[in-house]
Amino acid sequence: PSGIVQLLLNNLPVATGLPLALPGPRDEVLAAAMQRLREVFDIEELPPDVLPRKKPPQFMVDLFNKVADANGITRAPGLLEGDVVRSFEDRGGTRGYHFSFDISAMEKGEQMLKAEFRVPSNHYDSVEVYELLEGGNKPRKKHLIASRLLSLYTEGWEVFNVTQTVSRWVGNSSSNHGFLITTTHVFNNRIEHNLVKFAKSQGALQESRNALLVLFTNSNKRRSSESGLSRRPRAAAEPAAKSQVTACHRRELYVDFRAIGWSGWIIYPSGYNAFYCRGSCLFPLGESLNATNHATVQSIVHTLKLSQDVSTPCCVPDELKSLNLLYFDDKENVVLKNYKDMVATRCGCH
């Protein structure tokens, strides 16, 4: 196993707040570590390797770049609505006017905030979006969701808010029969009504122009330090000699998804620096150690030996940032997910 796996073995109990199983055969310990890693990233089953065969929708790539830097670190809070964005490509086969989406990948308890139906713009006078109320090859029952006048010079994407409709589908999957789009075009004072047909090519250039259903959701899962699980910081080790003491500081801990075997389905980033904290918190605690008042008092009590049971404060992260992953799920849908408290940006004595 690579060095990153060994580091994970050492650090995953702290990251998850759960005790690691007692050491056994190396394979068992490695399997336990990888299972904990899946729990941290909220991955129940590992998705299949689809990269580089399958390309993600350009909209999702652009969204990732908007909310995160190249390493996946969140640029600023509040850029993303919710903590999960799920994209679903049209599964309607070759019928270019009937748009079908399998949204069963949504997790139990996941709260939908907004749903957008995104289709490439074309030169029409108006577009009508219908919810299909029945299945079959030639459904007749439909309900008008939105109607919009378009400029003949419109380029890019038309985005329709379909939150109400998709909310019903989430509550009752049998009511999900997809969307139908029609257009109105005035030609020589004659009004023409047509079904919209879009090319559904599987080529790399056309894939990014396929219709897309995008859901913005809250996972409602408490991750990382928000898990509510009691966490026991490891007691700080007593230094052997004063000359060997290194003050509490931040060190690199690079998580390489390729080394873990996840590069076949994680689109961005290829890895990230989680960092970790190491060093002593001996009296006197300087300002650079970001010590709490409690840690300062604890260090004094320890130094003066006022209590035999009191150890030095612990060197731990006291400022963390969230991480964003763009990846294919087990149904080959592209998901953008935000994970809180994944990168230690500052260490302190606590």
Side-chain angles (χ1 to χ4, degrees):
S2 66
I4 179 60
V5 174
Q6 186 60 52
L7 284 169
L8 287 169
L9 292 176
N10 294 336
N11 289 279
L12 273 179
V14 176
T16 59
L18 297 172
L20 189 63
L22 292 174
R26 187 170 182 79
D27 289 345
E28 291 182 14
V29 177
L30 179 58
M34 295 306 293
Q35 174 60 32
R36 291 292 166 81
L37 192 61
R38 287 199 297 272
E39 291 171 6
V40 169
F41 285 98
D42 199 18
I43 304 292
E44 291 186 11
E45 296 292 334
L46 287 180
D49 290 348
V50 297
L51 293 170
R53 169 179 60 84
K54 195 168 174 62
K55 302 293 183 184
Q58 189 59 43
F59 168 77
M60 295 297 288
V61 174
D62 293 342
L63 186 60
F64 172 85
N65 290 329
K66 175 185 175 182
V67 303
D69 64 18
N71 298 309
I73 311 305
T74 301
R75 293 184 186 275
L79 291 177
L80 198 63
E81 187 165 355
D83 57 12
V84 182
V85 182
R86 298 185 180 276
S87 66
F88 302 91
E89 293 195 79
D90 175 31
R91 303 288 175 91
T94 58
R95 292 173 293 169
Y97 51 85
H98 180 187
F99 300 88
S100 178
F101 301 96
D102 178 6
I103 60 173
S104 60
M106 280 191 68
E107 298 173 352
K108 186 177 180 180
E110 194 171 342
Q111 176 192 8
M112 196 183 71
L113 304 175
K114 184 173 69 173
E116 293 179 348
F117 181 33
R118 308 179 66 90
V119 295
S121 296
N122 282 291
H123 303 312
Y124 301 114
D125 292 322
S126 69
V127 171
E128 298 83 34
V129 178
Y130 293 89
E131 176 194 3
L132 291 172
L133 302 178
E134 60 183 2
N137 290 328
K138 294 183 179 180
R140 295 182 179 178
K141 293 182 180 179
K142 59 185 184 293
H143 167 69
L144 180 64
I145 298 175
S147 180
R148 181 177 301 170
L149 294 174
L150 302 181
S151 165
L152 290 177
Y153 304 102
T154 300
E155 296 290 344
W157 293 83
E158 288 299 320
V159 182
F160 298 93
N161 189 325
V162 291
T163 305
Q164 220 171 4
T165 299
V166 177
S167 292
R168 287 198 303 272
W169 295 354
V170 172
N172 179 14
S173 60
S174 64
S175 65
N176 178 3
H177 302 296
F179 298 113
L180 185 78
I181 293 187
T182 64
T183 66
T184 302
H185 182 59
V186 179
F187 181 73
N188 288 339
N189 295 323
R190 192 173 70 248
I191 298 178
E192 296 180 355
H193 298 279
N194 300 296
L195 292 172
V196 170
K197 273 184 173 286
F198 291 110
K200 295 191 177 182
S201 167
Q202 295 304 309
L205 292 176
Q206 283 293 331
E207 270 189 356
S208 64
R209 296 290 292 169
N210 285 347
L212 208 61
L213 180 64
V214 181
L215 308 187
F216 298 81
T217 73
N218 268 331
S219 64
N220 286 331
K221 290 189 177 181
R222 301 160 101 186
R223 302 190 187 101
S224 188
S225 64
E226 298 176 330
S227 63
L229 297 168
S230 61
R231 196 182 288 179
R232 295 180 182 176
R234 289 171 289 185
E238 292 290 342
K242 199 76 174 177
S243 59
Q244 298 176 346
V245 170
T246 303
C248 177
H249 65 289
R250 190 176 72 151
R251 300 187 67 174
E252 291 194 352
L253 171 58
Y254 188 76
V255 180
D256 187 343
F257 293 131
R258 183 175 288 102
I260 298 172
W262 289 6
S263 61
W265 51 275
I266 292 182
I267 305 165
Y268 296 118
S270 58
Y272 75 101
N273 206 331
F275 296 100
Y276 72 105
C277 299
R278 185 172 182 175
S280 63
C281 292
L282 296 178
F283 179 83
L285 300 179
E287 290 185 9
S288 62
L289 297 180
N290 304 311
T292 62
N293 290 337
H294 179 274
T296 301
V297 172
Q298 181 177 335
S299 69
I300 293 172
V301 170
H302 171 80
T303 301
L304 298 180
K305 302 190 185 311
L306 300 179
S307 174
Q308 297 300 317
D309 297 329
V310 176
S311 62
T312 62
C314 295
C315 176
V316 295
D318 70 352
E319 185 177 270
L320 298 134
K321 281 192 174 181
S322 59
L323 175 75
N324 299 274
L325 281 193
L326 186 69
Y327 65 91
F328 285 98
D329 66 13
D330 55 2
K331 294 190 175 182
E332 298 190 10
N333 303 304
V334 174
V335 180
L336 173 60
K337 190 173 288 190
N338 177 273
Y339 300 88
K340 291 180 173 59
D341 299 345
M342 293 292 287
V343 177
T345 56
R346 193 176 73 174
C347 298
C349 295
H350 293 256

